[in-house]
Amino acid sequence: MRVPLSWLAEYVELVPGTTPEDVHAALVKVGLEEEDVHTFELQGPIVVGEVLEFVEEPQSNGKTIRWCQVRVAPDGEQAADGGDAVHGIVCGARNFFVGDKVVVTLPGAVLPGPFPIAARKTYGHVSDGMIASARELGLGDEHDGILRLSTLGLDAPVGSDAISLLGLDDAAIEINVTPDRGYAFSIRGVAREYAHATGAVFRDPALQTPATEVAGDGFPVVIDDRAPLRGRLASNAFATRIVRGLDASKPTPAWMIARLKLAGIRSISVLVDITNYVMLELGQPIHGYDLDALRGGIVVRRAEQGERFTTLDGKERTLHAEDIVVTDDRGPIGLAGVMGGAETEMGDSTQNVLIEAAHWDPVSIARTARRHKLPSEAAKRYERGIDPTIGAVAVARVAQLMVDLAGGTADAGGSLIQTTPDRDAIVLPDGFVSQLIGVEYTNDEVHDALAEIGGALTRVDGGFSVVPPSWRPDLTGREELAEEVARLVGYHRIPSVLPVAPPGRGLTRSQRLRRQTAGVLAGAGSTEVLSFPFATEAENARFGSADGSPVASVRLANALDQSTPYLRRSLLPGLMAAAKRNRSRGLVDVDLFELGLVFLPELGRVYGSAELPVGDAKPSDETLASLDAGIPPQPRHLGVLLVGERIAKQPGQPAEAFGIVDALDAVRRVALATGAELEIVQGSHQALHPGRTAELRVGGRVVGFAGELLPALAEEHDLPRVVAVAELDLDAVIAAADPAVEASPIGTFPAATQDLSVLVDAAVPAAEVAAAVREGAGELLEHLGLVDDYRGQGLPEGSKSLTFALRFRAPDRTLTAAEASEAKLAGAALAAERTGAAIRD
């Protein structure tokens, strides 16, 4: 919210000399967040000038300029820049005439940009200043020509200060308004907050414009909501007023244009500007209809599903059954609380206006604005909650300004529907605020703070009965009232003491092991990334199933990017995109990993809940269980991708590229970090290279895969032919890991080493042979490693020779060679039984 200081000063006392920084500091004290300061960034001398004469001079470039003589000071006086009273100025615009009063920026002035003004030679003349347009002054976006003061209804003396004349010496502070404090989206609300912070006198603008009594023949309005959203009517307050005989061509006053500009709203026309002005002033959005374009009375209802309506921006929109529409006899004429319709908008020919101020259901407006992607200023206020009782005042204020500025005549009465229920009283027990905040507050402090925000307090047994004011819908319980007391009495009263963490708390086992996993991978040189959890249907089909069987995907109803409308089933597409992006920027050696959720719906099952819980009440256990049941499984996966060179080429050392071995090393580190027993076996995956794919198992369950991408798939993503990847279900790994991991003692007795060479069928995985040898060798076996895999001359066809290096050690003695040999032979015997492996001579 941007708040011009001159506007703020109309409703709360600002001490002379108060700066924007002072106002910001005061508002921060009561919990509003400081954002920025906005000014017109002008520096004088900028004065009112009168065009005495001009000569049009065609130029060789086809352009015609005017060599103007402009009086910038009264006759006989010196100009503000120290020069003569008449300045010669070159101007390219042609929309002004002799005798026009214009705005002249004299040498030494600075316009927004910054754009300094100086006397300079151009088109054969020395232009001693510049005649300014509205855009050059920062008053608007239009650049049709010179700003003629007569179009603003101004006739100031020549040489007078144009900055103050146009209200360009004002400044605006900008604050961030949180969703629970919608009342601060108005000058009225911010002025009240400034009064709370400083003790200055607050003058409520809602009390300065009395609401008009409703006449019996007021404009007909009917609220016909047959499908209230969660029991809330579309509107419980609807006020109208009629103004006739308006001149829509009259100019918007300069002071209003300047205030609207500082507040972030551009000037459109006097009628539209007035409605925007009152919205900013009171916080009540206003809509004006061309009364002559209306057909019959107004009916407020829910839209028919699929009903079509053209909004002010010229777009035809398909409506939803939750949308609220304002209709006349022809159908919808406005999308309530969001945007009006093109058929009844106020235009240059409008003479009679119906002014509308309504209080709409905030949830309906918020959903409509998002559904149709129309984040208007009105919707921003409605969805945060406005004062439901101020509609009649707002239409009266608009009518008053239209009469004053556009020459109309207001009808004696209007129409008003006001069914807003009274606010329920909240019982605030004595001592509750002190107990909750941790600071001692007296009953007088509590009473004064709540009375200051507009609450109606009554003393009851053991506390106060508090009825919150109509403009504070966020005050729904005693906790919110306690917060208001702490805010207004002062946050400085709350000591800066860190709470003591309760014993026995900390990270859960899963959190600790996830952090440990990330730390181990990062410590080994990998880089953790975070990618978007979105994918295409093809990516989910390719990586979501190892064998290519059909899979289900969750499609987003309102995807950020329509090219990736599904929630991911795998982390690898995101890692591939990250690798591609980094390689395109010259980072060709990439070692990435990601920890993140994947979404694995079951094929044929429908997810989601038929009924969403309301936002202002705690959901029941049954509702929460229903919501949980409507969510697809979301396990946390670990993805790894390696591409490029693991070891760079250097003198005496050839380059070594990443491959499947590096992907398997990464998953082994994860197993060590979590304490899981990871089994790696030969596997297959539709996206990975045949023969270079491993299946990862924990406790006999498949938890992931590792390998190298299909070369064609890698090239499709602009990656090298060899891309090593791995993905595993980290939640499953952690769940299967032994929760009590014990460190093995370091043996102090000498080790005995043995080699074992066996002949086995080539189709038997080496891992199966190694597992049998390890189990058969028993507890004395300390280490087993495959050192050779020979397939060639001297071996029977279809067989291979595997050589294992074995290390034996006893914890309590030095092993003899016979004991080591006996253990080796026991392992070989079990391998022969399970795999048919035979010891080679």
Side-chain angles (χ1 to χ4, degrees):
M1 174 68 185
R2 295 184 182 184
V3 182
L5 296 192
S6 65
W7 204 350
L8 182 67
E10 289 186 7
Y11 304 120
V12 68
E13 182 182 0
L14 295 184
V15 176
T18 300
T19 65
E21 290 74 20
D22 295 334
V23 177
H24 262 152
L27 295 176
V28 166
K29 288 170 57 179
V30 289
L32 295 172
E33 297 179 18
E34 171 185 349
E35 287 289 338
D36 204 353
V37 173
H38 300 272
T39 65
F40 285 100
E41 300 177 352
L42 295 172
Q43 178 180 320
I46 301 176
V47 300
V48 174
E50 181 183 4
V51 179
L52 300 179
E53 61 178 0
F54 59 79
V55 177
E56 294 192 345
E57 299 180 354
Q59 304 297 311
S60 58
N61 60 3
K63 182 178 181 180
T64 298
I65 62 99
R66 286 180 173 181
W67 170 237
C68 308
Q69 300 300 311
V70 184
R71 183 178 298 282
V72 294
D75 192 17
E77 295 185 14
Q78 196 175 47
D81 65 337
D84 295 336
V86 177
H87 282 214
I89 298 175
V90 172
C91 185
R94 306 179 66 184
N95 69 317
F96 59 94
F97 308 95
V98 172
D100 274 345
K101 296 282 185 71
V102 293
V103 177
V104 181
T105 57
L106 299 176
V110 179
L111 295 179
F115 180 63
I117 303 299
R120 63 189 184 95
K121 187 172 183 179
T122 179
Y123 294 108
H125 301 282
V126 175
S127 185
D128 201 14
M130 186 180 80
I131 308 175
S133 68
R135 188 171 72 174
E136 289 163 340
L137 294 170
L139 269 177
D141 299 327
E142 293 77 11
H143 196 52
D144 297 334
I146 293 307
L147 175 63
R148 300 163 58 213
L149 294 182
S150 60
T151 63
L152 298 179
L154 298 175
D155 184 16
V158 170
S160 58
D161 182 18
I163 293 179
S164 59
L165 174 70
L166 298 174
L168 304 180
D169 52 352
D170 201 358
I173 55 104
E174 183 177 358
I175 56 174
N176 180 39
V177 178
T178 53
D180 61 328
R181 302 179 73 177
Y183 65 92
F185 265 124
S186 66
I187 304 298
R188 181 194 188 202
V190 176
R192 182 182 282 110
E193 289 298 302
Y194 185 81
H196 294 336
T198 62
V201 176
F202 169 63
R203 299 178 290 274
D204 190 347
L207 302 179
Q208 299 182 28
T209 304
T212 302
E213 292 294 329
V214 179
D217 57 351
F219 192 83
V221 177
V222 175
I223 309 296
D224 184 21
D225 186 2
R226 301 180 184 179
L229 186 61
R230 298 177 182 172
R232 300 188 184 96
L233 284 175
S235 176
N236 56 21
F238 199 102
T240 67
R241 190 79 187 275
I242 294 174
V243 182
R244 304 179 189 272
L246 293 165
D247 182 359
S249 65
K250 285 201 171 184
T252 302
W255 57 267
M256 182 176 284
I257 294 176
R259 285 183 175 180
L260 290 173
K261 177 67 176 178
L262 280 176
I265 295 180
R266 66 185 183 92
S267 174
I268 298 175
S269 66
V270 64
L271 300 183
V272 175
D273 290 350
I274 288 171
T275 62
N276 286 332
Y277 187 85
V278 174
M279 176 185 69
L280 293 173
E281 184 174 73
L282 298 177
Q284 167 70 62
I286 306 291
H287 188 71
Y289 301 92
D290 187 325
L291 182 63
D292 298 325
L294 288 173
R295 299 179 185 173
I298 280 179
V299 176
V300 175
R301 60 172 172 83
R302 299 281 174 175
E304 300 292 338
Q305 185 67 37
E307 191 172 10
R308 305 185 75 82
F309 170 61
T310 302
T311 46
L312 276 173
D313 55 6
K315 294 183 180 179
E316 187 178 56
R317 303 183 185 275
T318 302
L319 303 182
H320 187 275
E322 285 185 359
D323 294 335
I324 305 170
V325 290
V326 180
T327 70
D328 64 3
D329 291 350
R330 89 195 82 186
I333 57 173
L335 195 54
V338 178
M339 186 174 285
E343 291 183 302
T344 58
E345 68 174 316
M346 297 183 298
D348 294 340
S349 61
T350 298
Q351 295 181 335
N352 305 310
V353 169
L354 174 70
I355 308 162
E356 167 223 296
H359 181 257
W360 305 109
D361 171 40
V363 175
S364 296
I365 300 306
R367 290 187 179 183
T368 295
R370 286 156 179 75
R371 184 181 298 117
H372 298 288
K373 298 181 175 61
L374 286 171
S376 65
E377 288 290 328
K380 184 165 60 176
R381 287 163 173 80
Y382 280 126
E383 65 188 27
R384 287 166 170 80
I386 66 169
D387 185 350
T389 66
I390 203 173
V393 174
V395 294
R397 174 65 167 153
V398 172
Q400 177 193 64
L401 288 173
M402 285 187 175
V403 169
D404 293 343
L405 304 180
T409 302
D411 281 7
S415 59
L416 176 65
I417 296 175
Q418 190 79 51
T419 60
T420 309
D422 294 334
R423 298 291 299 269
D424 293 333
I426 302 169
V427 175
L428 185 65
D430 290 338
F432 176 80
V433 177
S434 298
Q435 182 181 7
L436 184 66
I437 305 300
V439 177
E440 288 297 325
Y441 296 102
T442 66
N443 284 341
D444 287 343
E445 287 178 319
V446 172
H447 177 279
D448 292 347
L450 297 179
E452 189 175 349
I453 66 171
L457 282 80
T458 305
R459 186 69 187 172
V460 297
D461 290 341
F464 291 104
S465 174
V466 184
V467 178
S470 58
W471 55 84
R472 293 296 303 272
D474 57 309
L475 302 181
T476 57
R478 57 186 184 177
E479 290 79 10
E480 288 82 5
L481 296 179
E483 181 182 342
E484 287 299 294
V485 174
R487 184 173 72 90
L488 296 188
V489 174
Y491 290 130
H492 65 280
R493 289 273 296 273
I494 303 175
S496 300
V497 178
L498 291 176
V500 177
R505 305 292 178 87
L507 298 177
T508 65
R509 175 173 177 268
S510 294
Q511 290 172 330
R512 178 174 54 81
L513 291 180
R514 288 201 298 267
R515 292 193 183 187
Q516 197 163 294
T517 297
V520 165
L521 292 175
S526 297
T527 300
E528 184 173 9
V529 298
L530 182 66
S531 59
F532 285 115
F534 311 122
T536 65
E537 189 173 19
E539 289 171 339
N540 277 346
R542 178 177 291 154
F543 291 99
S545 169
D547 58 4
S549 57
V551 295
S553 297
V554 177
R555 185 182 181 96
L556 298 171
N558 189 19
L560 290 176
D561 185 349
Q562 292 301 323
S563 65
T564 54
Y566 294 91
L567 290 175
R568 65 188 177 191
R569 291 185 63 96
S570 168
L571 301 180
L572 293 185
L575 288 171
M576 292 165 65
K580 175 182 177 180
R581 188 162 49 250
N582 278 276
R583 288 182 63 84
S584 71
R585 288 159 172 74
L587 304 174
V588 295
D589 303 321
V590 179
D591 180 355
L592 305 176
F593 76 94
E594 179 176 4
L595 291 168
L597 297 178
V598 297
F599 305 85
L600 308 179
E602 297 175 14
L603 196 63
R605 179 175 172 184
V606 177
Y607 292 90
S609 176
E611 182 178 354
L612 293 175
V614 297
D616 57 356
K618 181 181 179 181
S620 65
D621 292 340
E622 292 77 12
T623 300
L624 292 175
S626 174
L627 290 173
D628 287 340
I631 299 174
Q634 301 177 28
R636 192 177 302 274
H637 277 204
L638 167 70
V640 175
L641 183 144
L642 308 101
V643 62
E645 296 180 350
R646 178 169 57 88
I647 299 177
K649 181 180 179 181
Q650 50 193 301
Q653 171 67 57
E656 294 185 13
F658 285 117
I660 184 175
V661 173
D662 301 287
L664 292 174
D665 281 345
V667 298
R668 289 191 182 99
R669 293 188 192 101
V670 174
L672 288 172
T674 58
E677 292 288 339
L678 185 67
E679 183 182 1
I680 301 173
V681 299
Q682 186 75 34
S684 64
H685 194 287
Q686 61 172 333
L688 302 188
H689 197 299
R692 293 181 178 271
T693 303
E695 192 176 82
L696 309 176
R697 301 177 182 173
V698 172
R701 174 188 173 187
V702 177
V703 295
F705 58 88
E708 295 176 5
L709 288 179
L710 290 169
L713 180 59
E715 291 180 5
E716 181 183 321
H717 289 78
D718 299 321
L719 296 173
R721 291 178 60 83
V722 178
V723 180
V725 297
E727 182 167 1
L728 69 160
D729 186 338
L730 188 58
D731 284 347
V733 171
I734 291 173
D738 190 342
V741 179
E742 296 183 3
S744 301
I746 298 175
T748 58
F749 288 90
T753 59
Q754 298 270 345
D755 286 339
L756 174 63
S757 294
V758 297
L759 190 67
V760 69
D761 190 282
V764 177
E768 292 185 14
V769 179
V773 172
R774 185 179 292 108
E775 182 179 343
E779 296 181 354
L780 293 178
L781 181 62
E782 184 179 72
H783 174 75
L784 178 149
L786 178 66
V787 295
D788 187 49
D789 183 340
Y790 175 71
R791 315 179 191 206
Q793 189 175 0
L795 297 182
E797 177 126 7
S799 64
K800 61 184 176 183
S801 173
L802 302 176
T803 300
F804 298 95
L806 311 176
R807 185 171 69 239
F808 299 93
R809 194 191 308 268
D812 56 351
R813 67 189 187 282
T814 299
L815 285 178
T816 65
E819 289 177 306
S821 295
E822 182 181 354
K824 178 184 75 172
L825 293 174
L830 186 57
E833 179 185 336
R834 291 185 177 176
T835 65
I839 299 178
R840 291 191 66 191
D841 296 332

